[in-house]
Amino acid sequence: ILHGYGEHGGRYAHFPHYLRESVGSLWIQDFRGHGRSVGLRGFVERFDDYVEDAAVYLRQVYERHQSHFGDRARMHLFGHSMGGLVALRTLLLHPELPIHSAIISAPLLGVRVPVPAIKKLIAYALASVWGSLQMESDVNAGDLSHDPAVSEAYRADRLVHSKATPRFFTQLQAAMADTLG
């Protein structure tokens, strides 16, 4: 599982309930700067650093399963939101990965919340000189689910963050354009 922006793998702990007997195990790695991983929240030097991290992790998981299951080992990829964009880019940039199937849920291919022009201008101006400046991303937890309990759990989760940096923003824009192009 590749999780969404600002969240972490622990938010997908309910997946085994829905998958029941259809998969042997579930693996989730927190992206750098997310959840329990190291790194400045909301910052990445290159968006494809997430892709390279995912490719390394997927290879490791597959090798571990292949040692137990041999040719029966099957890897199914699920990516949600930013994880969906990372999954798409991983599939495009690493076609050699032994991925049997992929589910891409609401891939981050555009920003739903309008970013004010001044904020965009500042992000592009600062990306190369102070790319690590943390700003609020303006993600509204109430927009994440129709279930108020899910939104409240998101707000209360100490591992969730709402930070974005100029470098992340500009790299995200480039990754979305490249993926759609």
Side-chain angles (χ1 to χ4, degrees):
I1 293 177
L2 302 177
H3 65 76
Y5 184 76
E7 58 178 12
H8 57 91
R11 294 195 41 79
Y12 295 81
H14 62 286
F15 263 51
H17 170 76
Y18 295 106
L19 297 173
R20 293 196 176 34
E21 302 298 321
S22 61
V23 297
S25 61
L26 190 68
W27 294 80
I28 307 171
Q29 176 186 37
D30 288 345
F31 289 124
R32 58 177 72 194
H34 290 77
R36 288 179 168 44
S37 70
V38 298
L40 182 67
R41 300 300 181 231
F43 175 78
V44 70
E45 188 64 39
R46 292 176 38 250
F47 189 86
D48 284 344
D49 288 346
Y50 295 133
V51 174
E52 297 310 314
D53 291 348
V56 167
Y57 188 66
L58 291 168
R59 279 188 198 97
Q60 291 171 345
V61 168
Y62 185 74
E63 287 169 8
R64 179 175 284 173
H65 279 354
Q66 195 175 34
S67 71
H68 287 98
F69 300 106
D71 291 340
R72 295 176 312 162
R74 297 285 183 269
M75 186 161 48
H76 306 277
L77 180 62
F78 176 85
H80 174 67
S81 190
M82 185 186 85
L85 176 58
V86 173
L88 289 172
R89 294 192 63 71
T90 302
L91 293 167
L92 290 169
L93 299 174
H94 293 281
E96 78 284 359
L97 287 172
I99 296 173
H100 188 72
S101 69
I103 297 172
I104 311 300
S105 166
L108 180 56
L109 294 170
V111 178
R112 180 176 176 243
V113 177
V115 179
I118 188 69
K119 210 169 184 179
K120 285 183 188 178
L121 180 66
I122 291 169
Y124 280 97
L126 291 176
S128 61
V129 293
W130 194 8
S132 62
L133 173 66
Q134 290 180 310
M135 297 185 281
E136 286 298 316
S137 66
D138 298 329
V139 172
N140 181 353
D143 291 340
L144 299 176
S145 175
H146 296 290
D147 183 348
V150 171
S151 298
E152 185 51 41
Y154 183 87
R155 279 188 209 92
D157 190 333
R158 67 178 185 78
L159 295 177
V160 167
H161 74 83
S162 61
K163 303 295 182 196
T165 63
R167 187 73 180 170
F168 171 81
F169 178 78
T170 59
Q171 286 294 299
L172 173 64
Q173 296 299 310
M176 289 186 303
D178 184 60
T179 304
L180 288 168

